[in-house]
Amino acid sequence: MCIRYLALIPPTPFIRGGAKKCMNFSTRTTYGLRAMIRLAGRKGPESLSLPNIAKAENISLGYLERLFSDLKKGGLVQSGKGVKGGYKLAKPAERIEVYEIVKSLEGKMSPFHCLDEGGKIYCKVSCRCGATKVLIKVQEAVKKTLKGIKLSDLVA
Amino acid sequence: MCIRYLALIPPTPFIRGGAKKCMNFSTRTTYGLRAMIRLAGRKGPESLSLPNIAKAENISLGYLERLFSDLKKGGLVQSGKGVKGGYKLAKPAERIEVYEIVKSLEGKMSPFHCLDEGGKIYCKVSCRCGATKVLIKVQEAVKKTLKGIKLSDLVA
DNA sequence: ATAAATACCTACTAAAATAGTGTGTATTAG
DNA sequence: CTAATACACACTATTTTAGTAGGTATTTAT
């Protein structure tokens, strides 16, 4: 998901055919969120299988499997193999921040760097150029927002 | 720029070689911001040429030209052709929000849509699924933040 | 007038990131 | 023993982003 769409375009009705780019999260995050919402929506203690979720959400199974690998590493879900296997939340939805979900799905990337006059690559340690100042403030705002939303808030 | 990096990674020192992806704005926005900061840093009324900026910021000239086409359409810069030509700010840096810059550079994209159970594509009008709720909140936070920063705040 | 420096325009190419597929192994309930 | 599941890895396809190449029009200085 690119910041531009987030910041620039108000939530307007969809216009079919008019959109080449979207202002969604990446499908990675979108899929992961929606799958987590499904898990959170379960009543009983039974697990929900990935083929089940993939079908319901129309997501490719292989892709979803990798997302859940990340969610599990992030400590957000528990898994069980076998016929009655599947996934369930590792803790109550009330105690899962959306921030944690996004972090698990997208967060193991790179440290912080930026362009600099010296060349295309890269920045000095602790660079604080103008673009960076902006970045830091936006970063803080997004983080705070994501931390303020619990998974349970998203269950219909 | 992807939201994940913004939200997830604190402004840590650069680690050379460790980064495959960055948490910057897209180079489009980064370049544009840096160029605008250069314009804002000028004292006199003379224009600054793109070859000048491109060299100083190590940006490809052709790419920069297209960015400035957008900035001009956005009403943020004025241009002059010819030997003494170039660009200057269309209004004082104190009155230019970073939001305007990002919007000019990245904002002419698509309306809002999201995935839905019905298929990969797309969302009903006024979709308010869980992922969308998150999106809207983040969107508001980012917009507010970008509006709160003036170009003049970024000049060293 | 001419030349040089600039804006400005369009099509094309390259690189990077994202999404999806294919194939396989291990584990578990029945 | 079988079927359904998690889990893993390599590969391909698609989309987005960045950069290049080549041109025209305008303006200033000579």
Side-chain angles (χ1 to χ4, degrees):
Chain A
M1 176 178 55
C2 285
I3 208 65
R4 51 200 140 193
Y5 310 123
L6 276 179
L8 300 172
I9 311 172
T12 53
F14 170 60
I15 299 171
R16 190 167 294 275
K20 286 181 68 178
K21 306 179 182 186
C22 74
M23 54 170 291
N24 284 311
F25 288 94
S26 64
T27 64
R28 186 176 183 81
T29 300
T30 305
Y31 291 170
L33 262 181
R34 294 171 75 106
M36 288 295 281
I37 290 168
R38 283 201 175 262
L39 290 189
R42 297 284 283 188
K43 291 299 173 188
E46 313 90 39
S47 291
L48 200 52
S49 74
L50 291 193
N52 186 318
I53 296 174
K55 192 177 178 187
E57 296 283 351
N58 198 29
I59 303 169
S60 85
L61 178 58
Y63 197 40
L64 195 60
E65 286 173 333
R66 270 172 297 170
L67 301 192
F68 269 80
S69 169
D70 291 334
L71 290 169
K72 188 179 178 186
K73 283 176 194 160
L76 301 180
V77 296
Q78 291 176 335
S79 66
K81 289 189 179 181
V83 175
K84 301 269 280 186
Y87 286 92
K88 60 180 74 172
L89 296 182
K91 52 185 176 181
E94 290 75 18
R95 286 179 40 220
I96 297 179
E97 298 169 350
V98 169
Y99 175 77
E100 294 177 90
I101 298 172
V102 178
K103 181 179 177 182
S104 294
L105 291 170
E106 316 259 21
K108 54 206 165 311
M109 306 298 178
S110 339
F112 176 48
H113 63 277
C114 77
L115 305 174
D116 197 87
E117 291 185 23
K120 287 186 177 178
I121 326 167
Y122 283 104
C123 189
K124 317 288 179 299
V125 170
S126 299
C127 160
R128 290 294 178 273
C129 69
T132 301
K133 284 183 192 172
V134 175
L135 177 63
I136 291 170
K137 290 202 178 187
V138 174
Q139 180 187 38
E140 287 166 353
V142 171
K143 183 171 180 175
K144 184 178 175 184
T145 301
L146 292 179
K147 278 184 158 291
I149 309 174
K150 309 301 178 191
L151 179 57
S152 52
D153 298 331
L154 304 179
V155 179
Chain B
M1 175 178 55
C2 287
I3 207 68
R4 52 198 138 193
Y5 309 125
L6 276 178
L8 301 171
I9 309 172
T12 53
F14 171 61
I15 299 172
R16 190 169 294 273
K20 287 180 68 178
K21 307 178 182 185
C22 74
M23 53 170 292
N24 283 311
F25 287 94
S26 64
T27 64
R28 187 176 182 83
T29 301
T30 305
Y31 290 170
L33 263 181
R34 294 171 74 107
M36 287 294 282
I37 290 168
R38 282 201 177 262
L39 290 188
R42 298 284 283 187
K43 292 299 175 190
E46 315 92 35
S47 292
L48 200 53
S49 75
L50 290 193
N52 186 319
I53 296 175
K55 192 177 178 187
E57 296 283 349
N58 197 30
I59 303 170
S60 87
L61 178 58
Y63 196 41
L64 194 61
E65 284 172 336
R66 273 172 295 169
L67 301 192
F68 268 79
S69 170
D70 292 332
L71 290 169
K72 190 179 179 186
K73 284 176 193 159
L76 301 180
V77 296
Q78 291 176 333
S79 66
K81 289 187 177 182
V83 175
K84 302 269 282 184
Y87 287 91
K88 61 180 72 171
L89 296 182
K91 52 185 175 180
E94 289 75 17
R95 287 179 39 223
I96 297 179
E97 296 170 351
V98 169
Y99 176 77
E100 294 177 88
I101 299 172
V102 177
K103 182 179 177 181
S104 294
L105 292 171
E106 316 257 23
K108 55 207 163 311
M109 305 299 177
S110 339
F112 177 48
H113 63 277
C114 76
L115 305 174
D116 196 272
E117 290 185 24
K120 287 186 178 177
I121 324 165
Y122 282 106
C123 189
K124 317 290 180 298
V125 170
S126 298
C127 161
R128 290 295 179 273
C129 70
T132 302
K133 285 184 192 169
V134 174
L135 178 63
I136 291 171
K137 290 203 176 186
V138 174
Q139 179 186 37
E140 289 166 353
V142 171
K143 183 171 180 175
K144 183 179 176 185
T145 301
L146 292 179
K147 279 184 159 290
I149 309 173
K150 310 299 178 192
L151 179 56
S152 52
D153 299 331
L154 303 179
V155 178

